[in-house]
Amino acid sequence: MVVDQLRDSELDRLFQALADSTRRDIVRRVTVGEYTVSGLAALYAMSFAAVQKHVAVLERASLVSKEKRGREQIVRGDHEGLLKARRLLDEYEQIWRQRAARMADILTEG
Amino acid sequence: MVVDQLRDSELDRLFQALADSTRRDIVRRVTVGEYTVSGLAALYAMSFAAVQKHVAVLERASLVSKEKRGREQIVRGDHEGLLKARRLLDEYEQIWRQRAARMADILTEG
DNA sequence: CTGATCTACAACCATTTGGTTGCACGATAG
DNA sequence: CTATCGTGCAACCAAATGGTTGTAGATCAG
């Protein structure tokens, strides 16, 4: 269904966003404290534009949100994305547990 | 350190592998039951080779393992990859909780 | 033995990704 | 007002991704 397709691309963006160590590092940092985009850029051995793009990717994945303050843009962690990713992995974990239970049933049946 | 770099590329591969809905579907299915590679290929509107590549990506991410049986290759879910991904998200969740606690402290201090 | 089936892999192609430089524009400082 | 700063975006490039077709090696069926 269409809903699933939307959810799919949302998850695609999410895991895609997490599949880069610079972006994972940004997520960590902005969850602990606040950073401007250039404040983040100063941390990595790459151009400002590259970091700005990373932040944009994280924002589209709801892992980060920005708030304009004067000419600066404050980057903060956004819990929503993390929750969605966790929910999927929890679901998979649940499937594993059911599988384990089924195998136990087979071993003890009859 | 070097260890972190290895861990980084491992996580890159993991989340990258999860960032595709076909691959997520495969993970689900092979956790519930067993499939051959061509058994999986029959489920999707793409070539056998494409599905075989997806399985290879999942295997390198430790989300799936294969076992040769005759001329077939049985694909099963591998719990290891999932655990690693979950561990990272749990870590992030932990950071969020600490942040929440810190904010509560600030509100109640003095 | 012969033919069909299952798998892996190479070569190719279009698109996306992760980086770069350069530019434009709003906000701030002097 | 002017110069600087912070940001976003476009254009470009190399490499990776996700798909294709074709080929070749094992294994199984008859």
Side-chain angles (χ1 to χ4, degrees):
Chain A
M1 13 173 179
V2 179
V3 178
D4 272 356
Q5 285 173 10
L6 289 177
R7 185 164 161 66
D8 271 357
S9 62
E10 198 182 336
L11 289 171
D12 286 356
R13 262 180 283 135
L14 242 172
F15 286 111
Q16 173 85 6
L18 288 169
D20 180 285
S21 65
T22 300
R23 286 197 292 260
R24 287 195 300 272
D25 193 63
I26 292 177
V27 168
R28 276 179 179 282
R29 289 181 184 270
V30 301
T31 302
V32 173
E34 292 183 355
Y35 286 81
T36 64
V37 179
S38 48
L40 286 170
L43 299 170
Y44 308 101
M46 64 184 76
S47 69
F48 169 85
V51 174
Q52 190 260 334
K53 276 205 219 172
H54 279 311
V55 173
V57 169
L58 290 170
E59 196 179 14
R60 276 187 302 127
S62 300
L63 284 165
V64 138
S65 68
K66 288 187 301 188
E67 185 195 342
K68 200 164 182 174
R69 189 150 75 198
R71 68 183 154 185
E72 299 180 331
Q73 197 88 247
I74 307 297
V75 184
R76 297 200 185 81
D78 183 348
H79 204 51
E80 189 190 335
L82 267 198
L83 283 181
K84 280 178 183 157
R86 251 180 67 91
R87 232 171 273 146
L88 187 83
L89 296 193
D90 282 351
E91 208 178 312
Y92 285 176
E93 199 70 31
Q94 191 63 27
I95 296 174
W96 266 99
R97 273 184 240 115
Q98 290 168 5
R99 176 182 184 271
R102 238 176 20 250
M103 289 176 64
D105 283 352
I106 290 170
L107 290 178
T108 60
E109 85 186 356
Chain B
M1 13 174 179
V2 179
V3 177
D4 272 356
Q5 285 173 10
L6 288 176
R7 185 163 159 67
D8 272 356
S9 61
E10 199 182 337
L11 289 171
D12 287 357
R13 261 179 283 135
L14 242 172
F15 287 110
Q16 174 83 6
L18 288 169
D20 180 284
S21 65
T22 301
R23 287 197 293 262
R24 287 194 300 273
D25 193 62
I26 293 177
V27 168
R28 276 179 181 281
R29 290 180 183 271
V30 301
T31 302
V32 173
E34 293 183 355
Y35 286 81
T36 63
V37 179
S38 47
L40 286 170
L43 300 170
Y44 308 102
M46 65 184 77
S47 69
F48 169 85
V51 174
Q52 190 260 333
K53 277 205 219 173
H54 280 310
V55 172
V57 169
L58 290 170
E59 196 180 15
R60 277 187 300 127
S62 299
L63 284 164
V64 138
S65 69
K66 287 187 303 188
E67 185 195 343
K68 200 165 182 172
R69 189 150 75 197
R71 69 182 152 184
E72 299 180 331
Q73 198 88 246
I74 307 297
V75 184
R76 296 200 185 81
D78 183 347
H79 203 51
E80 190 191 333
L82 266 197
L83 283 181
K84 280 178 183 157
R86 251 180 69 91
R87 232 171 273 146
L88 186 83
L89 295 194
D90 282 350
E91 208 178 311
Y92 286 175
E93 199 68 32
Q94 191 63 27
I95 295 174
W96 266 99
R97 274 185 240 113
Q98 289 169 7
R99 177 183 184 273
R102 236 176 23 250
M103 288 176 63
D105 284 353
I106 289 170
L107 289 178
T108 60
E109 84 184 355

Coordinates of all heavy atoms in Angstrom, one line a residue, chain A residues 51-92:
Chain A
V51 N 29.9 19.5 5.6 CA 29.2 19.4 6.8 C 27.8 19.9 6.8 O 26.9 19.2 7.3 CB 30.0 20.1 8.0 CG1 29.2 20.0 9.3 CG2 31.4 19.5 8.1
Q52 N 27.6 21.0 6.1 CA 26.3 21.5 6.0 C 25.3 20.5 5.3 O 24.2 20.3 5.7 CB 26.3 22.8 5.2 CG 25.0 23.6 5.2 CD 24.3 23.4 3.9 OE1 24.8 23.2 2.9 NE2 23.0 23.6 4.0
K53 N 25.9 19.8 4.3 CA 25.1 18.8 3.6 C 24.8 17.6 4.5 O 23.7 17.1 4.5 CB 25.9 18.3 2.4 CG 25.8 19.1 1.1 CD 26.0 18.2 -0.1 CE 26.8 18.8 -1.2 NZ 27.2 17.9 -2.2
H54 N 25.8 17.2 5.3 CA 25.5 16.2 6.3 C 24.4 16.5 7.2 O 23.5 15.7 7.5 CB 26.8 15.9 7.1 CG 27.8 15.0 6.4 ND1 27.4 13.8 5.8 CD2 29.1 15.1 6.2 CE1 28.5 13.3 5.2 NE2 29.5 14.0 5.4
V55 N 24.4 17.8 7.7 CA 23.4 18.2 8.6 C 22.0 18.2 7.9 O 21.0 17.8 8.5 CB 23.6 19.7 9.1 CG1 22.5 20.2 9.9 CG2 24.9 19.7 10.0
A56 N 22.0 18.6 6.6 CA 20.8 18.6 5.8 C 20.2 17.1 5.7 O 19.0 16.9 5.9 CB 21.0 19.2 4.5
V57 N 21.1 16.2 5.5 CA 20.7 14.8 5.4 C 20.1 14.3 6.7 O 19.0 13.7 6.8 CB 21.9 13.9 5.0 CG1 21.6 12.4 5.2 CG2 22.4 14.1 3.6
L58 N 20.7 14.7 7.8 CA 20.2 14.3 9.1 C 18.9 15.0 9.4 O 18.0 14.4 10.0 CB 21.2 14.7 10.2 CG 22.5 13.9 10.3 CD1 23.5 14.5 11.2 CD2 22.2 12.5 10.7
E59 N 18.7 16.2 8.9 CA 17.5 16.9 9.2 C 16.3 16.2 8.4 O 15.2 16.0 9.0 CB 17.6 18.4 8.7 CG 16.5 19.3 9.3 CD 16.7 20.7 8.8 OE1 17.5 21.0 7.9 OE2 16.0 21.6 9.4
R60 N 16.6 15.9 7.2 CA 15.5 15.2 6.4 C 15.2 13.8 7.0 O 14.1 13.3 6.8 CB 16.0 15.0 4.9 CG 15.7 16.2 4.1 CD 16.0 15.9 2.6 NE 17.4 15.5 2.4 CZ 17.8 14.4 1.8 NH1 16.8 13.6 1.2 NH2 19.0 14.1 1.7
A61 N 16.1 13.3 7.8 CA 15.8 12.0 8.4 C 15.2 12.2 9.8 O 15.0 11.2 10.6 CB 17.1 11.2 8.5
S62 N 14.9 13.4 10.2 CA 14.4 13.7 11.5 C 15.3 13.2 12.7 O 14.9 12.9 13.7 CB 13.0 13.1 11.7 OG 12.1 13.5 10.8
L63 N 16.6 13.3 12.4 CA 17.6 12.9 13.5 C 18.1 14.2 14.1 O 18.7 14.1 15.2 CB 18.7 12.1 12.9 CG 18.4 10.6 12.6 CD1 19.4 10.0 11.7 CD2 18.2 9.8 13.9
V64 N 17.8 15.3 13.5 CA 18.4 16.6 13.9 C 17.4 17.7 13.5 O 16.6 17.5 12.5 CB 19.7 16.8 13.2 CG1 19.9 18.2 12.7 CG2 20.9 16.4 14.1
S65 N 17.3 18.7 14.3 CA 16.5 19.9 13.9 C 17.3 21.1 14.0 O 18.2 21.2 14.8 CB 15.2 19.9 14.7 OG 15.6 20.3 16.1
K66 N 16.9 22.2 13.2 CA 17.6 23.4 13.3 C 16.7 24.5 13.7 O 15.5 24.5 13.5 CB 18.2 23.7 11.9 CG 19.4 22.8 11.5 CD 20.0 23.3 10.2 CE 19.0 23.3 9.1 NZ 19.7 23.6 7.8
E67 N 17.3 25.5 14.4 CA 16.5 26.7 14.8 C 17.4 27.9 14.5 O 18.5 28.0 14.9 CB 16.2 26.6 16.2 CG 15.3 27.8 16.7 CD 15.3 27.9 18.2 OE1 15.7 26.9 18.9 OE2 14.9 28.9 18.7
K68 N 16.8 28.9 13.7 CA 17.5 30.1 13.4 C 17.7 31.0 14.6 O 16.7 31.2 15.3 CB 16.8 30.8 12.2 CG 17.7 31.7 11.4 CD 17.0 32.1 10.1 CE 17.9 33.0 9.3 NZ 17.4 33.3 8.0
R69 N 18.9 31.4 14.8 CA 19.1 32.4 15.9 C 20.0 33.4 15.3 O 21.2 33.2 15.2 CB 19.7 31.7 17.1 CG 19.7 32.6 18.3 CD 19.6 31.9 19.6 NE 20.8 31.2 20.0 CZ 20.8 30.2 20.9 NH1 19.7 29.8 21.5 NH2 21.9 29.6 21.2
G70 N 19.5 34.6 15.0 CA 20.3 35.6 14.3 C 20.8 35.1 13.0 O 20.0 34.6 12.2
R71 N 22.0 35.3 12.8 CA 22.5 34.7 11.5 C 23.0 33.3 11.6 O 23.4 32.7 10.7 CB 23.7 35.6 11.0 CG 24.9 35.6 11.8 CD 26.0 36.5 11.3 NE 26.9 36.9 12.3 CZ 27.9 37.8 12.2 NH1 28.0 38.4 11.0 NH2 28.6 38.1 13.2
E72 N 22.9 32.8 12.8 CA 23.4 31.4 13.1 C 22.2 30.4 13.0 O 21.0 30.9 13.1 CB 24.1 31.3 14.4 CG 25.3 32.2 14.5 CD 26.0 32.0 15.9 OE1 25.2 31.7 16.9 OE2 27.2 32.2 16.0
Q73 N 22.5 29.2 12.9 CA 21.5 28.1 12.9 C 21.9 27.1 14.0 O 23.0 26.5 13.9 CB 21.5 27.5 11.5 CG 20.3 26.7 11.2 CD 19.2 27.5 10.5 OE1 18.1 27.7 11.1 NE2 19.4 28.0 9.3
I74 N 21.1 27.0 15.0 CA 21.4 26.1 16.1 C 20.9 24.7 15.7 O 19.8 24.5 15.3 CB 20.7 26.5 17.4 CG1 21.0 28.0 17.7 CG2 21.1 25.6 18.5 CD1 22.4 28.3 17.9
V75 N 21.8 23.7 15.8 CA 21.5 22.3 15.5 C 21.3 21.5 16.8 O 22.2 21.6 17.7 CB 22.6 21.7 14.6 CG1 22.2 20.3 14.2 CG2 22.9 22.5 13.4
R76 N 20.1 20.9 16.9 CA 19.9 20.1 18.1 C 19.5 18.7 17.7 O 19.0 18.4 16.6 CB 18.7 20.6 18.9 CG 18.9 22.0 19.4 CD 18.0 22.3 20.6 NE 18.1 23.7 21.1 CZ 17.5 24.7 20.5 NH1 16.8 24.5 19.4 NH2 17.7 25.9 21.0
G77 N 19.6 17.7 18.6 CA 19.2 16.4 18.3 C 17.7 16.3 18.2 O 17.0 17.1 18.9
D78 N 17.1 15.5 17.4 CA 15.7 15.3 17.3 C 15.4 13.8 17.6 O 15.9 12.9 17.0 CB 15.2 15.6 15.8 CG 13.7 15.5 15.7 OD1 13.1 14.9 16.6 OD2 13.2 15.9 14.6
H79 N 14.6 13.6 18.6 CA 14.4 12.3 19.1 C 13.6 11.4 18.2 O 13.7 10.2 18.1 CB 13.7 12.3 20.5 CG 13.9 11.1 21.3 ND1 15.2 10.6 21.6 CD2 13.1 10.3 22.0 CE1 15.1 9.6 22.4 NE2 13.8 9.3 22.6
E80 N 12.8 12.0 17.4 CA 11.8 11.3 16.5 C 12.5 10.3 15.6 O 12.0 9.1 15.6 CB 11.0 12.3 15.7 CG 9.9 11.7 15.0 CD 9.3 12.6 13.9 OE1 9.4 13.9 14.1 OE2 8.7 12.2 13.0
G81 N 13.5 10.7 14.9 CA 14.2 9.8 14.0 C 14.7 8.5 14.7 O 14.5 7.4 14.3
L82 N 15.4 8.8 15.8 CA 16.0 7.7 16.6 C 14.9 6.7 17.0 O 15.0 5.5 16.9 CB 16.6 8.2 17.9 CG 18.1 8.5 17.8 CD1 18.7 8.6 19.2 CD2 18.8 7.4 17.0
L83 N 13.8 7.3 17.5 CA 12.7 6.4 17.9 C 12.2 5.5 16.8 O 12.0 4.3 17.0 CB 11.5 7.2 18.5 CG 11.7 7.8 19.9 CD1 10.5 8.6 20.3 CD2 12.0 6.7 20.9
K84 N 12.0 6.1 15.6 CA 11.6 5.3 14.5 C 12.5 4.1 14.1 O 12.1 3.0 13.9 CB 11.3 6.2 13.3 CG 10.0 6.9 13.4 CD 9.8 7.8 12.2 CE 8.5 8.6 12.4 NZ 8.4 9.8 11.6
A85 N 13.8 4.5 14.1 CA 14.8 3.4 13.8 C 14.8 2.3 14.9 O 14.8 1.2 14.6 CB 16.2 4.1 13.8
R86 N 14.7 2.8 16.2 CA 14.7 1.8 17.3 C 13.4 0.9 17.2 O 13.5 -0.3 17.4 CB 14.7 2.6 18.6 CG 16.0 2.4 19.4 CD 15.9 3.2 20.6 NE 14.9 2.6 21.6 CZ 15.3 1.6 22.5 NH1 16.5 1.2 22.6 NH2 14.4 1.1 23.3
R87 N 12.3 1.5 16.8 CA 11.1 0.8 16.7 C 11.2 -0.4 15.7 O 10.8 -1.5 15.9 CB 9.9 1.7 16.3 CG 8.7 1.6 17.2 CD 7.7 2.7 16.9 NE 8.0 3.9 17.6 CZ 7.7 5.2 17.2 NH1 7.2 5.3 16.0 NH2 8.0 6.2 17.9
L88 N 11.9 -0.1 14.6 CA 12.0 -1.1 13.6 C 12.9 -2.3 14.1 O 12.6 -3.4 14.0 CB 12.7 -0.6 12.3 CG 12.7 -1.7 11.2 CD1 11.4 -1.7 10.5 CD2 13.8 -1.4 10.2
L89 N 14.0 -1.9 14.7 CA 14.9 -2.9 15.2 C 14.3 -3.7 16.4 O 14.5 -4.9 16.5 CB 16.3 -2.3 15.7 CG 17.1 -1.6 14.7 CD1 18.5 -1.3 15.2 CD2 17.2 -2.5 13.4
D90 N 13.5 -3.0 17.2 CA 12.7 -3.7 18.2 C 11.8 -4.8 17.6 O 11.7 -5.9 18.1 CB 11.9 -2.8 19.0 CG 12.8 -2.0 20.0 OD1 14.0 -2.4 20.2 OD2 12.3 -1.1 20.7
E91 N 11.2 -4.4 16.5 CA 10.2 -5.3 15.8 C 11.0 -6.5 15.3 O 10.5 -7.6 15.5 CB 9.7 -4.5 14.6 CG 8.3 -4.9 14.1 CD 7.9 -4.0 12.9 OE1 8.1 -2.8 13.0 OE2 7.5 -4.6 11.9
Y92 N 12.2 -6.3 14.7 CA 13.0 -7.4 14.3 C 13.4 -8.3 15.4 O 13.3 -9.5 15.3 CB 14.2 -6.9 13.5 CG 14.0 -6.3 12.2 CD1 15.0 -5.8 11.4 CD2 12.7 -6.4 11.6 CE1 14.8 -5.2 10.2 CE2 12.5 -5.9 10.3 CZ 13.5 -5.3 9.6 OH 13.3 -4.8 8.4

